[in-house]
Amino acid sequence: MTVPRSTFRLQLHKDFTFDDAAAQVDYLAALGISHAYASPITTATSGSTHGYDTVDYTHVNPELGGEDALRRFVEKLRAHDMGLIVDVVPNHMGVGGSENTWWLDILEWGRHAAHARFFDVDWHSPDPALRGKVLAPFLGAAYGEELHGGKIKLAFLADEGRFVIEYYAHTFPVCPVDYPSILQEAPELAQRFTGLTTQPTDQPRAADARAALVTLAATEGGKAAIAATLAAHGAGSPQGRERLHRLLERQHFRLAWWRTAADEVNWRRFFDVSTLGGVRVERPEVFEASHALIFRLFTEGLIDGVRIDHVDGLAEPREYCQRLRQRLEELSKERPEALQHGNGRTYFVVEKILARGEPLRGDWQVDGTTGYDFMNDVGALLHDPKGAEPLARAWAALSGRSADFADEALVARRKILAENLSAEHDRVARALHRIARDTPATRDFTFSSLRRVVGEIVVQFPVYRIYPVNSVRSAEDERYFSQALSGARAALPRADHVVLDQVAQWLGGKLPDEAPVAEKPRERAAERGRDRNQTAQPNTNAPASTGSQRRSAQTLFSQLTSPVAAKAVEDTACYRYGRLLSRNEVGADPGEFALSVEEFHKGNLERSKAFPHAMLATATHDHKRGEDVRARIAALSEIPDEWAATLHNWSTLNTSLRRPVDGDDANWAPGPGAEAMLYQTLVGCWPPGLSPDDEAGVKELAERVAQWQLKALREAKLRTSWFAPDEAYENACREFLFDIVAPQRRGGFLKELPAFAERIGRAGAVNSFQQTLLRLTAPGVPDLYQGTELWDFSLVDPDNRRPVDYEQRRAWLAEGEAKGPPSEQLSNWRDGRVKLALVRRALALRQHAASLFAQGEYLPLEVQGKHADRVIAFARHAGSAYAIVIATRLAEPLLAKHGDTPLVDADQWGDTAVILPDALGSRALFDWMSTGAPKADGQRLLVRDALAAMPVALLVEEGVR
C-alpha cells in the first residue's frame, strides 16, 4: 500500500489550476511532503471555488486545465518522488444551471430518462402536482410572479434543435413529446415529432427529429416560424403567459420558488442545499459511470489514492467502501509496474464525523478518516478543564442563553427538522406508513403519528447515523439508537409509545417470528374483559416485500439523521453557543470542553491499532476558524475570570455604539450573544504585529470579520437567516463592528483589543506549537492544509480559502534552512517562520526515520513533578529506534508576565520530569527542534533541560539524528 508520509491539501479552482499547483511541487518537496492532496478534479459548476458541485464525472475539470494539465502536474510530482491523492464526491452532483447533462436528461424525459435512476428522486410523490415530476426549486420569487414578470421564457437552441425553458442561468429542457403543441404555428416543423412518447424506444427518434429541426430552423422560413412560436409563448400577453404556463404544467419538472424546497422537494439533496442533488451510487451502473474517470486515472498511474467526501450521505456506506476497495485492488494490478506495490492496496480514507467513543467501522476496509476526530482530540487537549464551568456561567449570564450546549443542539435539531428538512422528514414517514399499511396489526398507525415518532427519534439521535447489516442494527448501532429511543420515549406522549416501539423494530430491530411490538396488548374499550398482560400471537401474514421496505426506510432514516446532525449542530448551534468558540468546530462537540492527557493518549492508541494510517488534521477547507485562531482562543480557558471581566468591560465600553433595530432601543444590534462572540473572534484572529495605527490593515481585518459575522448571524438563525435575511439587523451589526474598530477608537477599544490579543498571544502560540508537533508525530498521516505552515488566523470559508503566498513561504523556508533548528527563530515568533521551521524539521525526521513513524508503536510517557499536568509526552518506537515527543501545555500561568517569548523559563519547571523508556536511561538525546542534547538522570529526563530552548521537543538518539 502506498501510505503517504504526509499530505498537503490543495484547493484547486480556475484561479489556482494544476499548472499553478505544479509550480509549487518543489516547495512541497522541500517542506517534506510526500503526497499532494487535491480537492475534486472532476468537472464542476463553472466558477466553482471548491469543486464539490460536480456536473460531469467523466472529464477532468477544464477550468483546472483539463487532463493535459493534470498530467503535467503528476509528471512534476513523480520527478520529486511524490504522489497524488484526489477528493472524490460520490454523494451528490451540482444541479440546476445548464451544465449537468444527467440532470437535464431527467428533466426532459422524466421517469423514462436514461439517467432517471441515477438521482434519488421520489417519482411517486403523494402530491398530484409532482407525480412523475421533479421539483425544480430554482426561482428567486414565487412562480406566478416570475411568470408574469417575463423572467421565465421559452427559448430555442438552434444548434441543437431543442426547445428549453430559460430562467437566468438555469435551463430546463422541454420534452420533445410537446414539440407539436409548441409548433402549432409551424406544422411543417412539428410533423417529425408527432406521435412521440417518452418511452426509451422513442427517444432515438426524437434525437433524429431534432437533428432535422436544426436544418429546417436554419432556413428563412424556419427562422420566422421559430420566432413566431417563441412570440406565441411570450409573457407580454395574457394569452402568451397562459400558453407558456400550460406548456410548463406538462413537463417532467415543476418550476418553483426556492423557498418551497424545504417542504416539497421530492429528491434527495446534499443537506438542505437545493443546488446539489443526491446520486444513487449504490446502483452498480451509477457507481461505474461516476467512477469511470477516477478508475482510468488510477489505472494509468496518475492518482495514487482517494478521499471520499461525505460518506454518510450514501445509502450504504459499508457496501460502497467495500466495492470501491475491491475495484481499486483489481485495477492496481494494471498500473505501471513502477507504481505497483506488494499487496495491491491503495490509500483510501473517508470524510466521517465521529462522536466521542464512536468507532470507525472496521469492515469498511478503509484506511481511516480524513482527520476530524484527531482535530477534535487535539483541540480539546488545549483547553483547561477548570475553565469550563466559570466560562459557561459567564456565557449564560451575558447572553441570556443556556449554559449547556446540549440544550442549544436539541432546539436547533427541532428547528432544522421542521423548517429545513421537512420534505425529507415526510419521505421517511411515508416509507414507514407503507410498511404499516401492509400489516393488519399496524394498518391503523397514522401517517401523522409515524411522522411525529420518527421525528423525535431523529431529534434525539446522538450520532450521524447507523449502519444496519442485513437490515438489523449492530451492537454498536444499538448503543446509539437506544439513546435516541430513550430520549424520544421521554419526550413523546404515552399514546405514541406503541408506535415508537414498532418504528424502532422497523428501523433495524430484530424481527423474529413474532408479532410486531404494535400487537402487544393495549387497553381497548371493546375488549374490557381481556387480560392486559396477555401476549399477542405471532403474525404470519407479513408481506414478502417487508424486507425491502424496511431497508428503504432505514436508508431514508439514515439519510435524514446525517443532515439534521450536520445542519443543527455544526451550522446552527455552533453559531448560537459561545462559551469558547475554539470548541465550536466541525467534528467537535462544544459540550465537551476539554480532554485529559490520558484520554488523548487513549485515542492515539486506539487509532494506532485500528487505523494506523488515518489522516491527522488540524485545519481543513471546512473549518470554522483557523488552527491558530482556535489555539489562541483556547488559552482563554486558563483565565476564565479575567476573560469574563474583559467581556463585561468591552460591552460597557461599546454600549453607546449599539444600534437600535426598527427604532426599538431594547432590540439592539448585534445583541449580547452575538457581541460576545464577535469579541472572541477579534481576539482570536487579530494578526500578530498588527498595529491599531495601521488603518488599512485594521480595515482589511474588519472586512474579513464582517464576512464571518454575516455568515455566523445567518447560520445561527436567530434574528436573521439565509432563508429570510433581516438586512436592517445585518447592516446594524456590520456598522457596530466597523465603529468599534474605527480609527477614533484608538484610545479606547481599539487600544485594548490588540493589547489583550498580545496578552494571550504567547499562550496561544505555545498551544499552536503543541498541536502542530502532535499532529506531525502521532500515529497516522499528518495533513497540512494549504498555507497553514505559517500562522493560520483564517475564519470560516471563503476566508480559509484565500490565495496562499507561496513565494513568501518558499523564501522563508530557504532562509530557515540556513538558520538552523526552529529554536533559532523563536524570538521572532510573531511572523510565523518558527512554525514553518517546526513543520519542516518534524517532516524531515519522518522522512529520515520513515518506518519509525509509519509502523512504530505509540508509548504514552509518564510525567512527574511539580507541573506534570502542564506537559504531554510520548514515544514512537520501532526496533531499537525511539523518538520522544514532549510538549508544553496549559502554559499561561508559567509564562513570565512581562516576557516576550512563548517559552516557559527553565527554572519554572522545577522537578518536573518525563519518565523515559528503560532503553533510553541515561543516554544523550538530540533535539530536532533545537540545538539541545539533554541527558536523562536514569530514566528521568528533566523538562527544564528538554524544553529549555523551545516549548516543544522532538528527541532522538544519535543514530536516528
Side-chain angles (χ1 to χ4, degrees):
M1 177 170 60
T2 309
V3 178
R5 192 174 61 249
S6 55
T7 60
F8 191 97
R9 171 71 180 203
L10 293 165
Q11 289 299 116
L12 302 170
H13 46 80
K14 64 182 178 61
D15 296 318
F16 189 82
T17 67
F18 291 124
D19 287 333
D20 295 316
Q24 307 307 328
V25 167
D26 58 340
Y27 162 71
L28 300 183
L31 190 61
I33 300 298
S34 73
H35 285 68
Y37 163 33
S39 58
I41 64 172
T42 47
T43 303
T45 301
S46 296
S48 175
T49 59
H50 50 77
Y52 288 97
D53 45 359
T54 303
V55 294
D56 182 359
Y57 280 120
T58 65
H59 290 88
V60 176
N61 195 342
E63 288 194 343
L64 307 183
E67 191 166 324
D68 287 344
L70 171 63
R71 291 179 182 277
R72 291 193 295 270
F73 177 39
V74 174
E75 183 180 0
K76 191 75 174 290
L77 289 170
R78 299 297 185 219
H80 289 77
D81 294 322
M82 295 172 67
L84 175 63
I85 296 166
V86 297
D87 204 334
V88 178
V89 191
N91 177 65
H92 54 267
M93 296 185 79
V95 297
S98 61
E99 299 176 278
N100 190 331
T101 57
W102 293 1
W103 179 256
L104 295 177
D105 180 42
I106 70 167
L107 296 183
E108 185 172 27
W109 294 105
R111 284 177 291 182
H112 295 132
H115 298 92
R117 303 180 79 180
F118 278 46
F119 294 92
D120 206 346
V121 180
D122 181 2
W123 295 105
H124 305 284
S125 172
D127 181 354
L130 277 177
R131 285 179 192 153
K133 295 177 180 283
V134 174
L135 186 75
F138 304 115
L139 302 182
Y143 168 77
E145 181 181 336
E146 300 297 75
L147 181 68
H148 193 275
K151 295 175 183 176
I152 302 172
K153 303 173 183 177
L154 178 66
F156 181 69
L157 307 180
D159 58 340
E160 298 179 28
R162 188 190 300 271
F163 284 100
V164 297
I165 302 298
E166 291 184 344
Y167 179 78
Y168 294 102
H170 296 282
T171 297
F172 307 93
V174 173
C175 182
V177 171
D178 284 306
Y179 282 24
S181 66
I182 295 174
L183 294 166
Q184 291 176 19
E185 289 78 12
E188 70 284 2
L189 300 181
Q191 59 185 353
R192 291 179 177 271
F193 297 92
T194 302
L196 275 177
T197 71
T198 59
Q199 293 299 316
T201 53
D202 262 8
Q203 292 179 28
R205 181 186 155 202
D208 293 339
R210 275 200 295 255
L213 187 56
V214 170
T215 301
L216 291 172
T219 66
E220 289 303 316
K223 290 178 181 177
I226 294 294
T229 296
L230 298 179
H233 292 79
S237 67
Q239 297 84 356
R241 287 195 298 274
E242 178 60 23
R243 190 168 173 183
L244 178 58
H245 171 64
R246 290 199 306 270
L247 173 64
L248 287 167
E249 291 293 276
R250 294 193 299 271
Q251 299 313 300
H252 299 294
F253 55 86
R254 193 194 111 200
L255 292 184
W257 193 7
W258 65 269
R259 291 179 184 268
T260 66
D263 294 321
E264 296 189 345
V265 70
N266 64 334
W267 43 274
R268 183 169 60 88
R269 303 173 288 172
F270 171 71
F271 296 168
D272 61 348
V273 182
S274 297
T275 55
L276 296 175
V279 177
R280 298 189 66 188
V281 75
E282 69 272 15
R283 297 187 61 82
E285 69 273 22
V286 181
F287 177 85
E288 292 299 332
S290 58
H291 291 72
L293 174 66
I294 295 299
F295 289 157
R296 178 172 64 81
L297 297 177
F298 173 71
T299 303
E300 293 181 19
L302 293 176
I303 63 176
D304 304 287
V306 292
R307 177 260 199 199
I308 303 302
D309 180 65
H310 189 48
V311 72
D312 275 341
L314 307 182
E316 302 285 354
R318 176 189 299 102
E319 285 77 0
Y320 170 84
C321 291
Q322 291 174 348
R323 179 184 292 174
L324 182 57
R325 169 62 72 192
Q326 181 180 358
R327 292 286 279 121
L328 290 173
E329 289 187 5
E330 292 170 352
L331 294 172
S332 67
K333 300 169 186 175
E334 302 175 25
R335 283 164 62 82
E337 186 174 352
L339 298 176
Q340 291 187 19
H341 301 277
N343 60 9
R345 284 175 61 89
T346 302
Y347 192 65
F348 168 17
V349 291
V350 293
E351 183 198 37
K352 169 78 180 102
I353 303 297
L354 295 168
R356 173 65 60 206
E358 179 188 8
L360 180 64
R361 307 305 164 96
D363 58 357
W364 287 15
Q365 300 181 20
V366 301
D367 292 308
T369 73
T370 55
Y372 287 122
D373 45 340
F374 179 82
M375 189 161 84
N376 180 32
D377 287 357
V378 76
L381 182 69
L382 304 182
H383 291 71
D384 189 338
K386 297 176 183 176
E389 290 305 316
L391 286 170
R393 288 195 304 270
W395 164 252
L398 185 65
S399 68
R401 306 191 66 81
S402 174
D404 189 347
F405 177 76
D407 294 337
E408 290 285 15
L410 189 62
V411 171
R413 284 174 177 272
R414 295 194 189 283
K415 182 179 182 67
I416 292 299
L417 188 63
E419 298 178 18
N420 295 64
L421 297 167
S422 178
E424 289 81 357
H425 185 186
D426 284 347
R427 195 173 177 187
V428 179
R430 283 198 301 273
L432 294 169
H433 198 216
R434 283 192 291 271
I435 299 174
R437 286 291 175 89
D438 279 345
T439 306
T442 59
R443 64 180 289 178
D444 288 338
F445 285 4
T446 65
F447 171 81
S448 294
S449 66
L450 289 163
R451 189 180 192 278
R452 190 164 55 246
V453 162
V454 77
E456 196 60 44
I457 297 174
V458 170
V459 164
Q460 302 285 344
F461 219 70
V463 293
Y464 262 50
R465 63 173 287 174
I466 55 174
Y467 309 95
V469 178
N470 296 324
S471 297
V472 177
R473 294 190 296 270
S474 66
E476 196 60 53
D477 288 335
E478 195 62 43
R479 171 183 163 197
Y480 298 109
F481 194 93
S482 62
Q483 293 179 39
L485 198 62
S486 296
R489 195 179 305 281
L492 289 167
R494 287 182 60 84
D496 281 338
H497 287 188
V498 66
V499 182
L500 176 66
D501 291 336
Q502 181 63 75
V503 167
Q505 281 203 338
W506 285 334
L507 293 178
K510 293 182 179 179
L511 283 180
D513 293 333
E514 64 181 17
V517 178
E519 290 194 356
K520 289 181 179 178
R522 293 170 292 179
E523 294 182 28
R524 298 180 181 177
E527 301 178 10
R528 296 180 186 274
R530 182 176 179 178
D531 180 357
R532 294 183 183 181
N533 294 319
Q534 178 182 344
T535 302
Q537 294 302 308
N539 169 34
T540 59
N541 299 314
S545 62
T546 299
S548 62
Q549 287 180 326
R550 286 183 65 195
R551 284 192 294 273
S552 176
Q554 290 167 9
T555 295
L556 292 170
F557 174 75
S558 291
Q559 289 178 325
L560 177 59
T561 57
S562 294
V564 167
K567 293 300 298 180
V569 176
E570 296 171 20
D571 294 342
T572 304
C574 278
Y575 286 102
R576 294 182 172 189
Y577 184 75
R579 174 167 60 177
L580 269 195
L581 297 183
S582 45
R583 292 298 294 137
N584 295 21
E585 192 51 78
V586 179
D589 174 9
E592 179 192 65
F593 188 75
L595 195 71
S596 69
V597 170
E598 291 73 24
E599 289 170 317
F600 181 77
H601 285 321
K602 179 182 176 183
N604 279 339
L605 285 167
E606 290 174 350
R607 191 179 299 108
S608 68
K609 291 181 175 64
F611 297 99
H613 307 307
M615 274 189 174
L616 308 178
T618 49
T620 74
H621 60 283
D622 275 337
H623 67 235
K624 299 184 184 303
R625 288 161 196 86
E627 58 185 40
D628 299 312
V629 176
R630 297 195 307 272
R632 185 189 290 173
I633 294 177
L636 298 175
S637 68
E638 303 179 63
I639 52 169
D641 295 334
E642 182 182 345
W643 173 239
T646 300
L647 276 178
H648 177 76
N649 293 339
W650 286 354
S651 183
T652 301
L653 182 62
N654 293 324
T655 297
S656 63
L657 302 179
R658 294 171 178 170
R659 299 294 203 280
V661 179
D662 298 327
D664 181 2
D665 288 342
N667 181 26
W668 54 274
E675 182 183 11
M677 294 170 102
L678 173 62
Y679 293 144
Q680 276 193 61
T681 301
L682 286 168
V683 165
C685 72
W686 187 272
L690 176 62
S691 167
D693 295 325
D694 182 355
E695 293 186 18
V698 172
K699 183 178 179 182
E700 179 186 3
L701 176 65
E703 289 288 355
R704 291 176 47 220
V705 173
Q707 194 174 40
W708 161 83
Q709 182 185 53
L710 177 62
K711 182 167 185 172
L713 294 171
R714 289 186 175 181
E715 294 286 11
K717 306 172 188 69
L718 291 171
R719 296 176 64 175
T720 186
S721 68
W722 299 107
F723 198 77
D726 183 340
E727 294 185 1
Y729 169 69
E730 293 170 355
N731 290 336
C733 291
R734 178 182 171 87
E735 290 167 3
F736 176 81
L737 164 61
F738 277 85
D739 262 3
I740 64 176
V741 296
Q744 60 265 35
R745 313 291 169 205
R746 278 192 292 243
F749 176 72
L750 193 53
K751 178 181 179 181
E752 294 192 10
L753 171 61
F756 192 87
E758 179 75 7
R759 156 82 177 84
I760 63 169
R762 290 182 301 141
V766 171
N767 282 343
S768 294
F769 294 138
Q770 176 189 345
Q771 74 175 353
T772 300
L773 185 60
L774 295 184
R775 169 167 50 91
L776 296 171
T777 55
V781 177
D783 172 50
L784 278 74
Y785 180 69
Q786 59 178 30
T788 60
E789 58 272 34
L790 293 182
W791 293 135
D792 175 25
F793 291 104
S794 64
L795 299 171
V796 72
D797 64 275
D799 193 64
N800 61 8
R801 301 174 190 174
R802 287 177 295 154
V804 176
D805 187 347
Y806 285 105
E807 291 309 308
Q808 179 191 63
R809 286 160 174 76
R810 184 191 303 273
W812 283 3
L813 184 65
E815 291 176 11
E817 287 297 291
K819 291 183 177 179
S823 61
E824 299 300 307
Q825 302 186 56
L826 185 61
S827 61
N828 296 318
W829 62 275
R830 289 178 180 80
D831 64 15
R833 276 183 270 197
V834 61
K835 184 183 179 186
L836 176 64
L838 189 161
V839 170
R840 172 66 188 101
R841 294 286 284 184
L843 289 180
L845 180 58
R846 288 189 71 100
Q847 186 172 10
H848 178 72
S851 61
L852 176 61
F853 290 95
Q855 289 93 38
E857 63 179 318
Y858 180 88
L859 302 174
L861 298 180
E862 182 185 357
V863 183
Q864 298 177 348
K866 180 179 181 182
H867 295 299
D869 59 335
R870 300 191 185 280
V871 176
I872 180 171
F874 60 84
R876 301 302 306 277
H877 171 230
S880 61
Y882 284 87
I884 306 298
V885 178
I886 305 173
T888 309
R889 63 185 300 267
L890 306 180
E892 199 282 331
L894 301 184
L895 294 171
K897 297 301 180 185
H898 304 291
D900 191 55
T901 304
L903 181 67
V904 174
D905 289 342
D907 59 5
Q908 288 274 40
W909 289 114
D911 64 345
T912 308
V914 175
I915 308 304
L916 297 177
D918 292 343
L920 297 180
S922 300
R923 296 188 186 182
L925 299 171
F926 300 90
D927 186 11
W928 279 63
M929 298 292 113
S930 72
T931 57
K935 186 174 181 179
D937 180 8
Q939 288 181 256
R940 291 176 55 82
L941 176 63
L942 292 173
V943 171
R944 67 187 182 207
D945 295 332
L947 300 182
M950 275 287 286
V952 295
L954 179 53
L955 308 173
V956 296
E957 291 188 87
E958 176 66 34
V960 185
R961 195 176 184 190

